[in-house]
Amino acid sequence: MKSLKDLEEIRKKTLDSINMRKDEESTRVVIGMATCGIAAGARPVLLAFMDEIGKRNLQHVTVSQTGCIGMCKLEPIVEIFEPNKEKVTYVKMTPEKAVRVVNDHLVNNRIVTEYTIGNYEK
Amino acid sequence: MNEISLHVLDIIQNSIKAGADLIVIVIEFDGERLTVTITDNGCGMDAETAARVTDPFVTSRTTRRVGLGIPLFKASAEATGGSLTVRSEKGVGTVVQAIFYYGHIDCPPLGSMTQTIVSQIVCHTDVDFAYSFVTPRGRMDFSTREVRQVLGDDVPLDTPEVVVWMRESIDNEINEIGGGSIQ
Ligand SMILES: Nc1ncnc2c1ncn2[C@@H]1O[C@H](COP(=O)(O)OP(=O)(O)OP(=O)(O)O)[C@@H](O)[C@H]1O
Ligand SMILES: [Mg+2]
């Protein structure tokens, strides 16, 4: 690990905004990451969420993962938990859909109904 | 699974489920064989389970009766003339090691190990990861413990700027030792 000096710079730069982030209630994006999810393409979906959330500078949003959500055919599955709101489950996700979910749902507060599980169960 | 790095991602999930807080991943390429070793300090398995775990009917999960992760990884390694071994000790941890013959026509590409490692660091900020990549030209050693030492307690590992730094510095160092052509 060579560029630890750059990391020290990043620490200094981000310290202030980090302290702000602590006070906000967080939104969680949770991705199913069992064998079935990984085989169906969960990793690029996770990376797309990480990238887009970083680009949009959504400091109140954290990305995490869970095991099998129990609907292997609909993987990759992503659940969004927002404070005081019902959970939203998106299914058959792709990196392109992830970008749209970040922008429509997380930035503009509009659920992307066509990607939700309700739309597939019909 | 069409990339070795996706199998690694899957095997890491077993370590996480086993409650590990240190996971060590080593990729070694000697020009012919690619050896992948994942070591954790999770709950481990008793000798009987560890011996049977490569058989797809062993699982502790409840949503499906069979475990697929390790058997799939093993089948993939064996298709290249390689092998997979599991060593485990209850209460100590587990080592999963797979050997792939990288020139074999049925060998999947390694794929993006960096994506596998960095995504796991972001999703499990309470777990430490060490990742090494060894080629005939040298080695790259990365560890979240060292990163944490620089960042202190205030800046978490999933800060976007830190994530970008981790991806770039791992990729740059792997390229310097000629690992980029394997990834
Ligand atoms: N690192 C580990 N530490 C402790 N136990 C493990 C470890 N890896 C595997 N096991 C045990 O072996 C079983 C089989 O693992 P495997 O990855 O093949 O299937 P699974 O994780 O049960 O299900 P799947 O991977 O298909 O989602 C696990 O359920 C667990 O009991
Ligand atoms: Mg598994």
Side-chain angles (χ1 to χ4, degrees):
Chain A
M1 289 163 72
K2 292 181 195 135
S3 47
L4 287 173
K5 241 188 221 149
D6 301 345
L7 192 59
E8 176 62 31
E9 288 302 309
I10 292 171
R11 188 184 86 91
K12 281 181 201 149
K13 261 189 250 160
T14 48
L15 255 180
D16 296 337
S17 54
I18 298 289
N19 288 332
M20 273 158 52
R21 168 174 156 175
K22 272 188 193 148
D23 301 333
E24 278 179 78
E25 254 192 292
S26 72
T27 291
R28 286 189 307 131
V29 175
V30 180
I31 296 166
M33 199 55 85
T35 307
C36 43
I38 295 169
R43 190 184 68 187
V45 170
L46 173 60
L47 267 289
F49 270 104
M50 279 166 44
D51 283 349
E52 196 64 18
I53 288 166
K55 260 189 226 158
R56 297 267 151 197
N57 197 23
L58 304 177
Q59 304 206 350
H60 64 291
V61 182
T62 61
V63 181
S64 62
Q65 63 179 47
T66 179
C68 184
I69 298 175
M71 302 171 282
C72 303
K73 274 193 207 135
L74 297 179
E75 297 276 2
I77 300 179
V78 174
E79 298 176 317
I80 299 200
F81 298 86
E82 289 171 287
N84 309 318
K85 283 191 196 166
E86 238 174 86
K87 166 180 93 177
V88 177
T89 305
Y90 290 111
V91 300
K92 293 198 171 186
M93 287 297 286
T94 62
E96 294 74 28
K97 290 179 178 179
V99 171
R100 187 158 159 215
V101 167
V102 171
N103 289 294
D104 286 13
H105 185 150
L106 299 177
V107 177
N108 293 319
N109 252 314
R110 277 198 318 265
I111 295 173
V112 190
T113 318
E114 53 186 296
Y115 303 161
T116 59
I117 186 159
N119 205 40
Y120 280 83
E121 279 170 343
K122 269 180 224 152
Chain B
M1 302 255 192
N2 48 11
E3 288 179 18
I4 295 171
S5 63
L6 290 177
H7 285 291
V8 175
L9 176 59
D10 186 43
I11 297 302
I12 292 174
Q13 307 314 306
N14 289 344
S15 302
I16 303 269
K17 267 189 273 174
D21 63 9
L22 177 63
I23 303 174
V24 180
I25 297 120
V26 182
I27 305 284
E28 274 175 283
F29 184 62
D30 66 4
E32 182 188 18
R33 276 169 310 191
L34 186 85
T35 305
V36 180
T37 312
I38 300 115
T39 306
D40 71 55
N41 66 351
C43 64
M45 294 170 260
D46 58 48
E48 196 212 346
T49 313
R52 282 170 46 232
V53 85
T54 48
D55 161 357
F57 292 93
V58 177
T59 185
S60 59
R61 52 186 287 161
T62 48
T63 45
R64 152 154 55 75
R65 271 189 19 262
V66 299
L68 291 179
I70 296 176
L72 282 175
F73 196 21
K74 184 176 188 213
S76 184
E78 286 178 347
T80 71
S83 59
L84 178 138
T85 52
V86 177
R87 278 175 290 144
S88 192
E89 196 178 327
K90 193 124 195 127
V92 179
T94 302
V95 184
V96 176
Q97 183 167 69
I99 298 174
F100 287 83
Y101 280 84
Y102 210 62
H104 193 286
I105 184 148
D106 290 324
C107 192
L110 179 57
S112 180
M113 273 303 300
T114 308
Q115 288 194 11
T116 284
I117 302 289
V118 172
S119 69
Q120 293 315 291
I121 295 172
V122 168
C123 288
H124 308 284
T125 45
D126 48 352
V127 174
D128 270 311
F129 290 87
Y131 169 41
S132 298
F133 198 111
V134 186
T135 73
R137 281 172 51 189
R139 60 184 297 144
M140 181 289 305
D141 294 291
F142 176 87
S143 116
T144 53
R145 283 194 179 153
E146 275 184 61
V147 176
R148 277 185 222 279
Q149 269 173 11
V150 175
L151 292 180
D153 293 334
D154 300 319
V155 178
L157 288 177
D158 61 353
T159 309
E161 291 86 345
V162 175
V163 174
V164 170
W165 176 86
M166 290 194 287
R167 285 163 82 167
E168 286 176 355
S169 62
I170 291 173
D171 276 339
N172 287 346
E173 284 188 48
I174 288 180
N175 284 335
E176 279 173 29
I177 56 170
S181 56
I182 310 163
Q183 276 224 61

